[in-house]
Amino acid sequence: MRDRPIDIDRLFHALGDPTRRAILDRLVERPMSVSQLAEPLGITLTAVAQHLQILKDARLAHTEKVGRVRTCRIEPAGFRALEQWVRDHRTAWEKKLDRLGRLLAEEDVDT
Amino acid sequence: MRDRPIDIDRLFHALGDPTRRAILDRLVERPMSVSQLAEPLGITLTAVAQHLQILKDARLAHTEKVGRVRTCRIEPAGFRALEQWVRDHRTAWEKKLDRLGRLLAEEDVDT
DNA sequence: CAAATACTGAAGTTTTCACTTGACTATTTT
DNA sequence: AAAATAGTCAAGTGAAAACTTCAGTATTTG
């Protein structure tokens, strides 16, 4: 069922790749150029640029080109959306766990 | 079946698919058979079974076969691992944002 | 027992993904 | 101005993902 990518799809997809998480981990430390990002990754500049596009689509990073250098930074919006998703779903899961707990307790008495 | 540590790649990958998130949303309500899960999804039983395997690998769901029926339930371990990942990373991102704020403030005085 | 039900397994198809190459543009540096 | 640097673009490759079909295997049910 391949349907239109919604925000949360892009987010999870972006975070699902170890190279992209490594990029984010380094950008958390400080803003960096595409070349600087590429250096320890052992992949081409092109590949890094492609990862950056995906991170940008997920609003986990943003970039700005000045002269010939593109400077990359993390952007909090994507991360905050993830936090929101987790918050929204935690409630549902907790309710389910409560109910499961109650059912198990009832079984002890009841069955 | 092995009780390996939860792999964050598998987790994000599992959650990155809308069909799988739909499956989880329904399993949060109540345990269900594979057929019941398949019915509103418009995909084959086989496809659902494949999604379930991925959810199982991410420890977001687990299943048990009794007779000819496989009953599927959510499993909290994967979700908790996600929450832990978010917690771990929030601190780092917050620090970065603090530092960015401070750097901008310093620039005003300093540069 | 025969038929229906609930899945399972293997293999094939199509699409998407991560990554490359190589040619190109734009900006510094010397 | 020539050379080096930083990145971009278009196209291609191989592998993984998300399905499918079809032929089973158990397990109920009539």
Coordinates of all heavy atoms in Angstrom, one line a residue, chain A residues 62-94:
Chain A
H62 N 18.5 21.7 8.2 CA 18.3 22.6 7.2 C 19.7 23.2 6.8 O 20.6 23.0 7.5 CB 17.3 23.8 7.5 CG 17.8 24.8 8.4 ND1 18.0 26.1 8.1 CD2 18.2 24.7 9.7 CE1 18.5 26.7 9.1 NE2 18.6 25.9 10.1
T63 N 19.8 23.7 5.6 CA 21.1 24.1 5.0 C 21.0 25.5 4.4 O 19.9 25.9 4.0 CB 21.5 23.1 4.0 OG1 20.7 23.2 2.8 CG2 21.5 21.7 4.5
E64 N 22.1 26.1 4.3 CA 22.2 27.4 3.6 C 23.5 27.5 2.9 O 24.6 27.2 3.5 CB 22.1 28.4 4.8 CG 21.9 29.9 4.3 CD 22.3 30.9 5.4 OE1 22.7 30.4 6.5 OE2 22.2 32.1 5.1
K65 N 23.4 27.9 1.7 CA 24.6 28.0 0.9 C 25.1 29.5 0.8 O 24.4 30.4 0.5 CB 24.4 27.5 -0.5 CG 25.7 27.3 -1.3 CD 25.4 26.5 -2.6 CE 26.7 26.2 -3.3 NZ 26.5 25.3 -4.5
V66 N 26.4 29.7 1.2 CA 27.0 31.0 1.2 C 28.3 30.8 0.4 O 29.2 30.0 0.7 CB 27.3 31.5 2.6 CG1 28.1 32.8 2.5 CG2 26.1 31.7 3.4
G67 N 28.4 31.5 -0.7 CA 29.6 31.3 -1.6 C 29.5 29.9 -2.2 O 28.5 29.5 -2.6
R68 N 30.6 29.2 -2.0 CA 30.6 27.8 -2.6 C 30.3 26.8 -1.5 O 30.3 25.6 -1.7 CB 31.9 27.5 -3.3 CG 33.1 27.6 -2.5 CD 34.4 27.3 -3.2 NE 35.5 27.6 -2.4 CZ 36.8 27.4 -2.8 NH1 37.1 27.1 -4.0 NH2 37.7 27.7 -1.9
V69 N 30.1 27.2 -0.2 CA 30.0 26.3 0.9 C 28.5 26.3 1.4 O 27.9 27.3 1.6 CB 30.9 26.8 2.1 CG1 30.6 25.8 3.3 CG2 32.3 26.8 1.7
R70 N 28.0 25.0 1.5 CA 26.7 24.9 2.0 C 26.8 24.4 3.5 O 27.4 23.4 3.8 CB 25.9 23.8 1.3 CG 24.5 23.5 1.8 CD 23.7 22.6 1.0 NE 23.4 23.2 -0.3 CZ 22.5 24.1 -0.6 NH1 21.7 24.5 0.4 NH2 22.3 24.6 -1.8
T71 N 26.3 25.3 4.4 CA 26.4 25.0 5.8 C 25.1 24.3 6.3 O 24.0 24.7 6.0 CB 26.6 26.3 6.6 OG1 27.9 26.9 6.1 CG2 26.8 26.0 8.1
C72 N 25.3 23.2 7.0 CA 24.2 22.3 7.4 C 24.0 22.5 8.9 O 25.0 22.5 9.7 CB 24.5 20.9 7.1 SG 25.1 20.7 5.4
R73 N 22.8 22.5 9.3 CA 22.5 22.6 10.8 C 21.3 21.7 11.1 O 20.5 21.4 10.2 CB 22.0 24.0 11.1 CG 23.0 25.1 10.9 CD 22.5 26.5 11.4 NE 23.6 27.4 11.6 CZ 24.3 28.0 10.6 NH1 24.0 27.8 9.4 NH2 25.3 28.8 11.0
I74 N 21.2 21.3 12.3 CA 20.0 20.6 12.7 C 18.8 21.6 12.8 O 19.0 22.8 13.1 CB 20.1 19.7 14.0 CG1 20.5 20.6 15.1 CG2 21.0 18.5 13.8 CD1 20.3 19.9 16.5
E75 N 17.6 21.0 12.6 CA 16.4 21.9 12.8 C 15.6 21.1 13.8 O 15.3 19.9 13.6 CB 15.7 22.0 11.4 CG 14.7 23.1 11.4 CD 13.8 23.0 10.2 OE1 14.3 23.0 9.1 OE2 12.6 23.0 10.4
P76 N 15.1 21.8 14.8 CA 14.4 21.0 15.8 C 13.0 20.6 15.5 O 12.4 19.6 16.1 CB 14.3 22.0 17.0 CG 15.0 23.2 16.6 CD 15.2 23.2 15.1
A77 N 12.4 21.1 14.4 CA 11.0 20.9 14.1 C 10.7 19.4 14.0 O 9.7 18.9 14.5 CB 10.5 21.6 12.9
G78 N 11.5 18.7 13.2 CA 11.3 17.2 13.0 C 11.3 16.5 14.3 O 10.5 15.6 14.6
F79 N 12.4 16.8 15.1 CA 12.5 16.1 16.3 C 11.3 16.3 17.3 O 10.8 15.4 17.9 CB 13.8 16.5 17.0 CG 14.2 15.7 18.2 CD1 14.8 14.5 18.0 CD2 13.9 16.1 19.5 CE1 15.2 13.7 19.1 CE2 14.2 15.3 20.6 CZ 14.8 14.1 20.4
R80 N 10.8 17.5 17.3 CA 9.7 17.9 18.1 C 8.4 17.1 17.6 O 7.6 16.7 18.4 CB 9.4 19.4 18.1 CG 10.4 20.1 18.9 CD 10.1 21.6 19.1 NE 11.2 22.2 19.7 CZ 11.7 23.4 19.3 NH1 11.2 24.0 18.3 NH2 12.7 23.9 20.0
A81 N 8.3 17.0 16.3 CA 7.2 16.2 15.7 C 7.2 14.7 16.2 O 6.2 14.1 16.5 CB 7.2 16.3 14.2
L82 N 8.4 14.2 16.2 CA 8.6 12.8 16.8 C 8.2 12.7 18.2 O 7.4 11.9 18.6 CB 10.1 12.4 16.7 CG 10.5 11.0 16.5 CD1 11.8 10.7 17.2 CD2 9.5 10.0 16.8
E83 N 8.6 13.7 19.0 CA 8.3 13.7 20.4 C 6.7 13.8 20.6 O 6.2 13.1 21.4 CB 8.9 14.9 21.1 CG 10.4 14.8 21.3 CD 10.9 15.9 22.2 OE1 10.7 17.1 21.8 OE2 11.5 15.6 23.2
Q84 N 6.1 14.6 19.7 CA 4.7 14.7 19.8 C 4.0 13.4 19.4 O 3.0 12.9 20.1 CB 4.2 15.8 18.8 CG 2.7 16.2 19.0 CD 2.4 16.6 20.4 OE1 3.0 17.5 20.9 NE2 1.4 15.9 21.0
W85 N 4.5 12.7 18.4 CA 3.9 11.4 18.0 C 4.0 10.4 19.2 O 3.1 9.7 19.5 CB 4.7 10.9 16.8 CG 4.1 9.7 16.2 CD1 3.1 9.6 15.2 CD2 4.3 8.3 16.5 NE1 2.8 8.3 14.9 CE2 3.5 7.5 15.7 CE3 5.1 7.7 17.5 CZ2 3.5 6.1 15.8 CZ3 5.1 6.3 17.6 CH2 4.3 5.5 16.8
V86 N 5.2 10.4 19.8 CA 5.4 9.5 20.9 C 4.4 9.8 22.1 O 3.8 8.9 22.6 CB 6.9 9.6 21.4 CG1 7.0 8.8 22.7 CG2 7.8 9.0 20.4
R87 N 4.3 11.1 22.4 CA 3.4 11.5 23.4 C 2.0 11.0 23.1 O 1.3 10.4 23.9 CB 3.4 13.0 23.6 CG 4.1 13.5 24.8 CD 3.8 15.0 25.1 NE 4.1 15.9 24.0 CZ 5.3 16.3 23.6 NH1 6.3 15.9 24.3 NH2 5.5 17.1 22.6
D88 N 1.5 11.3 21.9 CA 0.2 10.9 21.5 C -0.1 9.4 21.6 O -1.2 9.0 21.9 CB -0.1 11.3 20.0 CG -0.2 12.8 19.8 OD1 -0.3 13.5 20.8 OD2 -0.1 13.3 18.7
H89 N 0.9 8.7 21.3 CA 0.7 7.2 21.3 C 1.0 6.6 22.6 O 0.4 5.5 22.9 CB 1.6 6.6 20.2 CG 1.0 6.8 18.8 ND1 1.1 8.0 18.2 CD2 0.4 6.0 18.0 CE1 0.5 8.0 17.0 NE2 0.0 6.7 16.9
R90 N 1.7 7.2 23.4 CA 2.0 6.7 24.8 C 0.7 6.5 25.5 O 0.5 5.4 26.1 CB 3.0 7.5 25.6 CG 3.3 6.9 26.9 CD 4.4 7.7 27.6 NE 4.0 9.1 27.6 CZ 4.9 10.1 27.7 NH1 6.2 9.8 27.6 NH2 4.5 11.3 27.7
T91 N -0.1 7.4 25.5 CA -1.4 7.4 26.2 C -2.2 6.1 25.8 O -2.6 5.3 26.6 CB -2.3 8.6 25.9 OG1 -1.7 9.3 24.9 CG2 -2.4 9.5 27.1
A92 N -2.3 5.9 24.5 CA -3.0 4.8 24.0 C -2.4 3.5 24.5 O -3.1 2.5 24.9 CB -3.1 4.8 22.4
W93 N -1.1 3.4 24.4 CA -0.4 2.1 24.8 C -0.6 1.9 26.3 O -0.8 0.8 26.7 CB 1.1 2.2 24.4 CG 1.3 2.0 22.9 CD1 0.7 2.7 21.9 CD2 2.1 1.0 22.3 NE1 1.2 2.2 20.7 CE2 2.0 1.1 20.9 CE3 2.9 -0.1 22.8 CZ2 2.7 0.3 20.0 CZ3 3.6 -0.9 21.9 CH2 3.5 -0.7 20.6
E94 N -0.5 3.0 27.0 CA -0.6 2.8 28.5 C -2.0 2.3 28.8 O -2.1 1.4 29.7 CB -0.4 4.2 29.2 CG 1.0 4.4 29.5 CD 1.3 5.9 30.0 OE1 0.3 6.6 30.1 OE2 2.5 6.2 30.2

